[in-house]
């Protein structure tokens, strides 16, 4: 409870002296107003401008002789004290708060209130160029440690009265002032309220730097990725405000916090918008490239030297082998040793005085590197790889963001040393899944890439051109700025961005559904369908996927018809409505068994492929377990996370696939397609039986239609998915046929065998890793879709409200199924081409057709669709 000020000055003084006991810098100045009324002026020495106190407060009050003092302190101050900033105080806590920030407080005997004067003064440094964010072209001003100066630096750049700044104090003892800045009309009110709510919930002894606030308000404090952008540039903070973001200024630190943040905001530099469009775009792509290099180069070197030496040309391999002759350590130990040494030198260069640090880091790197190579402890190529990696890491413009990628480099190196290129791919998948999981104040971390925002992507893939209506912060003036409006947010640095909070609602877009369904059909079919169709269709194998497309359309149209009747239900719910609770539970159990067995078969297929072609000495169970752990992490994130992951990985798979087709195109022989339809259409129809089972996997859409943000587009994107799948599979069969001819049916993995024909400029060869990348990325999406549907079906059948609690137990059952599915690869492939085909068609097409027939006969429909 706050203690009000008493009318007795001596009582107030006693209370305040007890509060400031043993505080030698607290000054209690007793004097008489006009030589008659006792008064007390309280201030902190060193925080208050003593000269201004003498001139503007004490002199007018002590030398007053024309009339006796009367009225409360605020009236007296308004008449006689020439200070612009004044504030009345009514209790002891208010006096302490004002005195603590350097404002002297006047108390007069007989009055129950006091008056604080804005006369703070403390030493501060001059404006300097930000040391962590230097630019060639742009402002040379950086934030200071004084909150008022920092607020003024932003106000100078955004002069509109719509720029709002709301202040508060945080910290029981430090009572640090924090200002929240935003532009009314551009910032989402929900975002502003969320920022204020999180700040007000902070309960801590003291805030000494903005890093305290950052850690206490971010969504995922355990994540290595920064979810709050910190900057010491006023122009960067102002640009963020013009994008609709919210900035936080903390007294005592030269760093402002801007939210929400994304991966691409921390990879962009202020100078991107001060240079020409083409220059900035080229530099941005260079930065993206070296960002990947800084993360993956050492691990790729370790993986290739340890497991994939065949990828290197013979001359290069011999050269590297000569340099490693006397090195006693394996490539994994060598890489970790050099990386740790490099990081130690970089940290030493930062912590030492500036005059010494640069010399120590440069000379230390040269001396240690040369001595290590001469002593035979490390090889010269490893020194070059680590040096290039260090240089690449310096291209990341945000110093705090570079830490995350530097730390992630070490686990990826360990994965590369144990699982080769597969380990690198699993590490990349884990990072993508994690980034799809985290948010910054409700905004997905990979926005606008996933979820895709077309209007904003143009400022990610390139530096968007500045138009007259939405000029960036550096070029907009108060007279030329367009009127504030809420329509059509625009992307870009200094432009309006979609930064409204997006709470988890389990919804995905129709495009994300298409990205999920595409690898669900294609991922495993790419490797197995060519051989299976050739055995029946021969030279007409390229027609089989087109005939199989009919089964996909039948399955999709059946699922859509059921969805139109039961728009808010999945097959588990409307099965019970159509055929009764008991029969519906049986159908739900069939779906559970199907997705459990399918997930296990898929996982085993993945493990057999990797262990049989790349990691022959690694147990299949280890390979399957690694994939399943990452899949469980993704499934726990829900359908939103799965949709975002697919939106990133599927385009990568398609690019790699088309790259593979282009690289082998010079070896293709079109004459191997002739004669076409030699035995009529029947062989190609027989060859379509196996692909039909894959096309019927489009039934997964029946479980996703109810989760779409725009359900009216579900059928359209389902059809697009099927057509695209048919084109991809036909193109794959054509390529394999023109490459191998009749031998295609004797190969287990024809596409893998095709990769062995790749040779680039007589330098790069044996690029089977491209096929493995296609397989791993695509198979991961298919595994998580089956895994997620299995969890959803199980939770609905047994009536669980929180399906996340069974994710790990279900994952263990999938691993058991994968181990017990088949004794070896040959029997697994045989089952996929025989018995499993009929299982897939029965569950994925037969049951939905039966349910639709019952619905048509009984005329049953579900409740109307819920409002979007």
């Amino acid at each position: 409870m706050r203690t009000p000020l008493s009318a007795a000055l001596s009582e107030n003084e006693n209370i305040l002296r007890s509060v400031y006991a043993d505080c030698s810098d607290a000054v209690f100045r007793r004097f008489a107003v006009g030589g008659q009324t006792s008064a007390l002026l309280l201030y902190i020495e060193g925080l208050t401008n003593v000269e201004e106190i003498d001139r503007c407060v004490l002199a007018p009050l002590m030398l007053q002789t024309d009339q006796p003092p009367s009225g409360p302190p605020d009236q007296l101050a308004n008449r006689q004290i020439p200070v612009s900033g004044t504030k009345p105080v009514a209790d002891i806590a208010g006096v302490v708060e004002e005195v603590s920030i350097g404002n002297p407080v006047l108390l007069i005997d007989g009055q129950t209130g006091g008056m604080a004067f804005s006369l703070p003064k403390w030493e501060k440094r001059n404006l300097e160029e930000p040391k962590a964010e230097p630019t060639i072209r742009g402002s040379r001003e950086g934030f200071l440690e004084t909150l008022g100066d920092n607020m003024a630096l932003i106000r100078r750049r955004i002069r509109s009265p719509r720029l709002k700044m709301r202040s508060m104090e945080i910290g029981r003892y430090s009572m640090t002032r924090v200002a929240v800045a935003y532009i009314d009309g551009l910032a989402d009110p929900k975002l502003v309220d969320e920022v204020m709510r999180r700040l007000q919930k902070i309960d801590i002894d003291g805030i000494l730097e903005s890093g305290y606030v950052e850690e206490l308000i971010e969504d995922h404090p355990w994540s290595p990725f920064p979810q709050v952008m910190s900057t010491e540039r006023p122009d960067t903070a102002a640009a963020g405000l013009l994008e609709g973001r919210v900035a936080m200024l903390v007294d005592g630190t030269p760093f402002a916090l801007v939210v929400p943040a994304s991966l691409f905001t921390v990879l962009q530099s202020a100078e991107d918008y001060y240079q020409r469009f083409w220059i900035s775009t080229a530099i941005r792509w260079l930065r993206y490239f070296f960002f990947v290099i800084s993360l993956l180069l050492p691990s790729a070197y370790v993986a290739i030297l340890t497991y994939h030496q065949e990828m290197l040309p013979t001359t290069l391999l011999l050269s590297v082998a000569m340099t490693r002759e006397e090195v006693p350590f394996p490539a994994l130990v060598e890489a970790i040793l050099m990386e740790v040494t490099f990081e130690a030198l970089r940290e030493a260069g930062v912590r030492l005085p500036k005059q010494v640090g640069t010399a120590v880091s440069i000379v230390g790197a040269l001396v240690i590197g040369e001595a290590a190579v001469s002593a035979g402890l490390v090889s010269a190529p490893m020194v070059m790889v680590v040096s290039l990696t260090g240089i690449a890491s310096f291209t990341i413009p945000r110093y705090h963001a570079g830490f995350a990628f530097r730390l992630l480099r070490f686990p990826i190196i360990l994965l590369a040393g144990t699982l080769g290129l597969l380990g690198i791919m699993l590490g990349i998948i884990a990072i993508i899944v994690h980034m799809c999981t985290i948010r910054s104040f409700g905004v997905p971390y990979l926005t606008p890439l996933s979820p895709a925002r077309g209007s904003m992507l143009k400022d990610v893939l390139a530096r968007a051109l500045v138009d007259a209506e939405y000029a960036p912060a550096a070029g907009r003036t108060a007279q030329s700025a367009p009127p504030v409006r809420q329509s059509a947010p625009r992307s870009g640095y200094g432009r309006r961005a979609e930064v409204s909070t997006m709470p988890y609602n389990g919804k995905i877009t129709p495009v994300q559904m298409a990205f999920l369904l595409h690898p669900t059909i294609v991922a495993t079919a790419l490797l197995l369908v060519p051989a299976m169709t050739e055995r029946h269709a021969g030279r007409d194998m390229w027609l089989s996927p087109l005939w199989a497309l009919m089964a996909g359309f039948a399955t999709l149209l059946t699922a859509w018809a059921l969805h139109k009747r039961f728009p808010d239900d999945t097959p588990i719910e409307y099965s019970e409505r159509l055929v009764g609770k008991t029969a519906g539970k049986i159908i739900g159990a069939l779906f559970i068994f199907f997705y459990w067995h399918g997930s296990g078969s898929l996982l085993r297929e993945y493990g057999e492929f990797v262990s049989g072609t790349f990691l022959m000495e690694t147990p299949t169970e280890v390979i399957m377990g690694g994939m399943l752990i990452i899949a469980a992490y993704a499934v726990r994130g829900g359908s939103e996370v799965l949709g975002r992951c697919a939106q990133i990985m599927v385009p990568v798979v398609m690019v790699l696939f088309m790259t593979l087709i282009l690289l082998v195109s010079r070896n293709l022989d079109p004459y191997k397609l002739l004669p076409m339809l030699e035995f009529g259409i029947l062989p190609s129809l027989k060859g379509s039986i196996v692909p039909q089972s894959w096309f019927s996997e489009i039934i997964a859409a029946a479980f996703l239609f109810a989760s779409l943000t725009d359900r009216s587009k579900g059928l359209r994107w389902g059809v697009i998915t099927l057509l695209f799948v048919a084109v991809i599979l036909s193109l794959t069969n054509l390529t394999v046929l023109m490459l191998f001819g009749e031998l295609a049916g004797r190969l287990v993995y024809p596409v893998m065998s095709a990769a062995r024909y790749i040779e680039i400029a007589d330098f790069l060869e044996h690029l089977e890793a491209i096929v493995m990348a296609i397989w791993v990325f695509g198979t991961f999406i298919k595994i998580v879709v089956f895994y997620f549907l299995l969890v959803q079906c199980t939770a609905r059948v047994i009536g669980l409200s929180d399906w996340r609690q069974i994710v790990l137990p279900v994952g263990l059952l999938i691993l058991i199924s994968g181990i017990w599915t088949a004794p070896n690869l040959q029997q697994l492939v045989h089952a996929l081409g025989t018995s499993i085909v009929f299982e897939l068609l029965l569950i994925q097409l037969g049951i939905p057709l039966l349910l639709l027939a019952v619905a048509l006969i009984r005329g049953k429909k579900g409740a109307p669709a819920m409002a979007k």
Side-chain angles (χ1 to χ4, degrees):
M1 183 176 180
R2 301 171 72 96
T3 304
L5 289 171
S6 171
L9 181 61
S10 57
E11 183 178 345
N12 293 333
E13 181 178 4
N14 291 335
I15 296 175
L16 290 171
R17 285 188 179 275
S18 64
V19 171
Y20 286 99
D22 297 328
C23 297
S24 59
D25 55 346
V27 179
F28 291 81
R29 176 67 165 86
R30 272 273 195 171
F31 66 97
V33 179
Q36 301 179 19
T37 306
S38 296
L40 174 68
L41 190 68
L42 175 60
Y43 61 91
I44 300 294
E45 186 178 4
L47 294 182
T48 307
N49 193 329
V50 179
E51 293 79 6
E52 292 299 316
I53 288 179
D54 293 340
R55 185 176 66 86
C56 299
V57 179
L58 292 179
L61 293 178
M62 296 177 68
L63 300 178
Q64 174 187 353
T65 56
D66 54 344
Q67 58 181 354
S70 61
D74 56 340
Q75 296 181 7
L76 184 65
N78 292 336
R79 291 197 309 265
Q80 296 179 272
I81 300 179
V83 176
S84 59
T86 61
K87 178 181 178 181
V89 292
D91 49 44
I92 297 297
V95 173
V96 173
E97 291 172 2
E98 294 298 324
V99 170
S100 298
I101 61 176
N103 296 333
V105 175
L106 173 65
L107 303 176
I108 300 176
D109 193 23
Q111 302 294 334
T112 57
M115 180 61 62
F117 306 102
S118 181
L119 295 173
K121 179 183 178 182
W122 47 77
E123 296 298 326
K124 60 182 180 181
R125 61 185 176 90
N126 297 324
L127 282 176
E128 298 176 353
E129 181 178 3
K131 296 181 180 179
E133 300 176 67
T135 58
I136 303 300
R137 180 175 181 177
S139 172
R140 294 294 191 272
E141 292 181 335
F143 283 123
L144 300 174
E145 286 76 14
T146 308
L147 180 61
D149 292 336
N150 294 339
M151 296 168 70
L153 287 171
I154 293 180
R155 183 70 70 176
R156 279 176 50 197
R157 289 163 172 79
I158 305 177
R159 300 188 175 112
S160 170
R162 289 185 178 270
L163 173 61
K164 309 299 181 182
M165 295 193 180
R166 298 159 64 176
S167 299
M168 65 178 66
E169 289 186 354
I170 302 177
R172 288 187 291 270
Y173 299 110
S174 66
M175 293 186 288
T176 306
R177 292 180 64 204
V178 177
V180 176
Y182 62 95
I183 297 180
D184 187 21
L186 291 184
D188 188 340
K190 294 180 180 179
L191 175 62
V192 177
D193 294 341
E194 180 64 17
V195 171
M196 297 298 297
R197 185 188 68 82
R198 296 191 188 187
L199 290 175
Q200 291 167 355
K201 286 182 63 177
I202 295 177
D203 184 17
I204 193 173
D205 289 342
I207 299 291
L208 303 180
E209 214 279 331
S210 59
Y212 287 52
V213 177
E214 178 180 352
E215 187 173 339
L216 291 169
I217 66 173
E218 62 185 358
D219 297 63
H220 308 274
W222 291 101
S223 172
F225 297 102
Q227 299 131 58
V228 178
M229 185 180 72
S230 63
T231 178
E232 52 181 339
R233 297 188 61 89
D235 55 343
T236 300
L241 294 175
L242 291 172
E243 290 177 346
R245 306 181 193 274
V246 176
M248 287 162 280
L249 305 174
V250 181
D251 195 18
T253 175
F255 288 91
L257 305 178
V258 181
V259 295
S262 70
L263 174 66
F264 302 102
T265 59
V266 300
L267 290 179
Q268 293 179 357
S269 170
E271 203 168 2
D272 289 352
Y273 300 89
Y274 302 150
Q275 300 285 359
R276 301 282 297 171
F277 160 73
W278 291 109
I279 297 174
S280 298
T281 300
I283 293 175
R284 180 171 292 181
W285 274 101
L286 183 68
R287 190 181 301 133
Y288 289 162
F289 173 74
F290 276 97
F291 158 68
V292 176
I293 290 294
S294 68
L295 186 63
L296 300 179
L297 182 59
S299 54
Y301 180 80
V302 170
I304 291 174
L305 283 188
T306 307
Y307 294 96
H308 311 283
Q309 298 93 340
E310 72 280 357
M311 294 181 62
L312 295 178
T314 305
T315 54
L316 179 59
L317 182 60
L318 291 175
S319 177
V320 173
M322 288 177 58
T323 62
R324 290 186 47 80
E325 279 184 325
E326 300 178 359
V327 177
F329 306 114
L332 173 61
V333 176
E334 187 183 5
I336 293 179
L337 180 65
M338 287 303 299
E339 283 290 343
V340 171
T341 303
F342 186 86
E343 293 298 331
L345 287 172
R346 173 153 50 181
E347 190 67 14
V350 172
R351 303 305 165 196
L352 287 172
K354 184 177 181 180
Q355 296 79 0
V356 182
T358 305
V360 168
S361 58
I362 295 176
V363 175
L366 292 174
V367 172
I368 293 177
E370 181 64 26
V373 173
S374 301
L377 296 177
V378 296
S379 61
M382 181 61 75
V383 174
M384 294 178 59
V385 167
V386 173
S387 301
L388 183 59
T389 303
I391 294 172
S393 66
F394 291 133
T395 61
I396 300 175
R398 308 288 174 191
Y399 183 76
H400 66 291
F403 276 113
F405 307 119
R406 285 158 56 187
L407 290 175
L408 288 173
R409 195 183 304 151
F410 290 95
I412 295 180
I413 290 175
L414 291 174
L415 286 172
T418 54
L419 295 174
L421 289 177
L422 174 66
I424 296 178
M425 294 172 190
L426 291 179
I428 294 173
I429 291 174
I431 292 173
I432 292 175
V433 171
H434 178 69
M435 288 194 291
C436 290
T437 303
I438 61 177
R439 292 170 174 243
S440 174
F441 281 80
V443 177
Y445 198 62
L446 291 179
T447 303
L449 187 61
S450 180
R453 298 287 186 269
S455 61
M456 299 170 65
L457 269 177
K458 65 180 182 181
D459 198 58
V460 171
L461 302 178
R463 200 275 275 169
L465 283 169
V466 177
D467 55 53
E469 181 182 8
Y470 289 93
R476 184 187 290 180
T477 62
Q479 291 77 19
S480 64
V484 173
R485 55 186 178 221
Q486 295 291 340
S487 62
R490 302 292 297 274
S491 66
Y493 196 98
R495 301 181 179 184
R496 291 190 59 192
E498 294 186 62
V499 294
S500 59
T501 55
M502 299 172 60
Y504 174 80
N505 53 18
K507 298 291 185 180
I508 59 174
T509 66
V511 176
Q512 289 176 333
M513 181 196 71
F515 279 122
L516 284 171
L517 295 177
H518 177 269
T520 300
I521 303 172
V522 165
T524 52
L526 274 179
L527 291 185
L528 298 176
V529 162
M532 292 181 176
T533 53
E534 197 279 335
R535 293 166 191 167
H536 299 283
R539 284 184 293 269
D540 299 327
M541 58 187 286
W542 61 275
L543 286 172
S544 296
L546 301 181
W547 305 135
L549 178 62
M550 300 302 104
F553 280 139
T555 306
L556 178 64
L557 293 175
T558 302
W560 181 254
L562 289 168
H563 168 70
K564 297 298 290 184
R565 290 177 169 269
F566 305 94
D568 296 319
D569 295 336
T570 67
I572 304 300
E573 285 88 6
Y574 57 67
S575 295
E576 297 186 14
R577 295 191 184 188
L578 290 171
V579 298
K581 188 172 183 179
T582 302
K585 292 290 185 183
I586 294 175
I587 292 177
L590 288 175
F591 274 110
I592 291 174
F593 175 79
F594 166 72
Y595 281 116
W596 173 67
H597 184 245
S599 300
S601 300
L602 181 60
L603 190 65
R604 178 63 177 272
E605 190 178 342
Y606 153 79
E608 291 288 350
F609 169 75
V610 173
S611 62
T613 55
F614 293 101
L615 303 174
M616 279 72 76
E617 298 181 2
T618 304
T620 305
E621 293 79 5
V622 174
I623 297 173
M624 293 192 298
M627 172 65 81
L628 200 59
I629 290 172
I630 302 175
Y633 179 44
V635 169
R636 280 187 62 86
S639 56
E640 282 192 51
V641 172
L642 302 187
R644 292 177 208 147
C645 291
Q647 207 164 14
I648 294 174
M649 295 182 188
V650 172
V652 173
V653 170
M654 289 299 98
V655 169
L656 292 175
F657 173 76
M658 296 309 300
T659 302
L660 174 65
I661 298 296
L662 291 175
L663 291 177
V664 301
S665 59
R666 67 175 185 172
N667 298 306
L668 301 182
D669 182 8
Y671 289 101
K672 292 181 178 179
L673 298 176
L674 302 176
M676 295 183 184
L677 299 175
E678 180 181 8
F679 302 102
I681 198 175
L682 187 59
S684 60
L685 288 174
K686 290 181 178 179
S688 70
I689 295 177
V690 174
Q692 284 179 31
S693 62
W694 266 285
F695 275 95
S696 65
E697 289 175 343
I698 195 73
I699 191 61
F703 294 88
L704 301 176
F705 282 146
S707 302
L708 295 182
T709 55
D710 187 355
R711 298 176 183 175
S712 63
K713 298 180 180 179
L715 179 61
R716 179 197 310 173
W717 282 101
V719 171
I720 292 173
T721 301
L722 288 174
L723 292 175
F724 195 64
V725 167
V727 171
I728 293 296
L729 292 182
S730 294
L731 181 60
T732 302
N733 283 3
L734 278 170
T735 303
V736 170
L737 183 61
M738 287 189 288
L739 194 61
F740 298 109
E742 296 179 354
L743 294 176
R746 304 176 187 177
L747 302 172
V748 179
Y749 302 121
V751 178
M752 170 63 70
S753 301
R756 296 191 173 98
Y757 283 77
I758 298 175
E759 185 177 343
I760 303 175
D762 295 327
F763 183 74
L764 292 178
E765 53 191 12
H766 295 289
L767 300 182
E768 293 89 345
I770 295 180
V771 178
M772 185 170 69
I774 296 174
W775 176 270
V776 172
F777 283 121
T779 303
F780 172 78
I781 297 298
K782 185 166 185 175
I783 288 175
V784 297
V785 169
F786 273 51
Y787 193 169
F788 178 73
L789 295 182
L790 174 59
V791 170
Q792 293 292 317
C793 291
T794 305
R796 282 173 164 79
V797 168
I798 64 179
L800 278 180
S801 59
D802 183 11
W803 53 267
R804 286 181 175 85
Q805 59 185 328
I806 63 172
V807 169
L808 293 180
V810 168
L812 181 60
L813 293 176
I814 292 175
L815 181 60
I816 295 173
S817 173
I819 295 173
W820 289 348
T821 293
N824 52 53
L825 176 62
Q826 289 73 22
Q827 293 195 21
L828 176 62
V829 173
H830 181 265
L832 289 172
T834 54
S835 59
I836 292 181
V837 172
F838 298 102
E839 175 190 341
L840 293 174
L841 291 174
L842 174 64
I843 301 295
Q844 298 179 146
L845 182 57
I847 290 180
L849 283 174
L850 175 63
L851 293 176
L852 180 59
V854 173
L856 292 174
I857 294 172
R858 296 186 177 182
K860 285 195 173 184
K861 292 185 178 181
M866 297 175 63
K868 298 182 182 59

